[in-house]
């Protein structure tokens, strides 16, 4: 069963992309995005089902990624440096995309998550502050930031 994890991850990724596209058909990135998510859940036909499949599918996807990584560590696949490096890059990109998706419903917790995580870029010497302001689209997290993340 563990040899099929890559294929299962591919199917899960396709499922996430399709459900994300269906959700984005009704999503408007603004400060009222949380109300927009509520609208999708209550008023769109089967919107609640698509939303919960998408949210739980993300958790399943990361669970399968962790099992996939643990299998690679167990069988010492990290010795194949190029393959392992590409896998780590894909994993980091997946974490970035998951963070951007997490911030989109835009509530109080998401606002502070966006503020804290993007402030990590500030630790980069010389141009960290400039990079944070570019990410935010101004001097603070706002609607512009949400539009950029969308």
């Amino acid at each position: 069963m563990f040899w099929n994890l890559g294929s299962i991850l591919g199917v899960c990724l396709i499922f996430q992309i399709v459900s994300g596209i269906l959700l984005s058909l009704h999503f408007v990135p603004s400060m009222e995005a949380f109300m927009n998510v509520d609208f999708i859940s209550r008023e769109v036909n089967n919107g609640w089902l698509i939303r919960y499949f998408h949210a739980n599918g993300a958790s399943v996807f990361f669970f399968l990624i962790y099992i996939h990584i643990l299998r690679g560590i167990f069988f010492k696949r990290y010795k194949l440096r190029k393959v392992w490096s590409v896998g780590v890059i894909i994993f980091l990109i997946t974490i970035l995309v998951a963070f951007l998706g997490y911030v989109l419903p835009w509530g109080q917790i998401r606002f502070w998550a966006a503020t804290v995580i993007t402030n990590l870029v500030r630790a980069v010497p010389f141009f960290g502050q400039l990079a944070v302001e570019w990410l935010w689209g101004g001097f603070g997290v706002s609607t512009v930031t949400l539009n950029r993340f969308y």
Side-chain angles (χ1 to χ4, degrees):
M1 181 180 90
F2 288 131
W3 298 108
N4 297 322
L5 277 176
S7 300
I8 294 170
L9 278 167
V11 170
C12 194
L13 179 64
I14 290 169
F15 183 75
Q16 285 296 105
I17 290 171
V18 169
S19 63
I21 289 172
L22 290 174
L23 288 172
S24 70
L25 292 174
H26 296 281
F27 183 76
V28 178
S30 67
M31 287 299 178
E32 291 82 29
F34 188 79
M35 291 187 302
N36 196 321
V37 171
D38 188 49
F39 171 79
I40 291 171
S41 295
R42 294 176 188 267
E43 302 297 327
V44 175
N45 290 336
N46 295 321
W48 63 273
L49 186 65
I50 296 169
R51 180 173 173 244
Y52 288 121
F53 274 160
H54 189 72
N56 291 322
S59 298
V60 169
F61 187 70
F62 270 97
F63 178 73
L64 291 174
I65 285 177
Y66 294 140
I67 292 175
H68 189 67
I69 291 170
L70 290 174
R71 182 184 60 102
I73 291 171
F74 181 75
F75 289 111
K76 298 181 182 172
R77 297 295 182 210
Y78 50 83
K79 291 182 180 179
L80 304 170
R81 297 205 189 278
K82 290 182 183 177
V83 176
W84 189 261
S85 300
V86 169
V88 168
I89 291 169
I90 291 172
F91 181 61
L92 293 175
I93 290 171
T94 304
I95 290 173
L96 177 68
V97 170
F99 166 71
L100 296 177
Y102 174 77
V103 172
L104 286 181
W106 204 253
Q108 189 71 17
I109 293 174
R110 268 83 171 187
F111 169 81
W112 288 110
T115 303
V116 170
I117 298 298
T118 54
N119 265 322
L120 292 175
V121 178
R122 194 173 296 206
V124 177
F126 302 113
F127 64 91
Q129 177 66 31
L130 183 65
V132 168
E133 289 175 8
W134 178 80
L135 275 173
W136 287 346
F139 296 107
V141 177
S142 63
T143 305
V144 178
T145 311
L146 186 61
N147 281 319
R148 287 183 180 201
F149 288 179
Y150 182 63

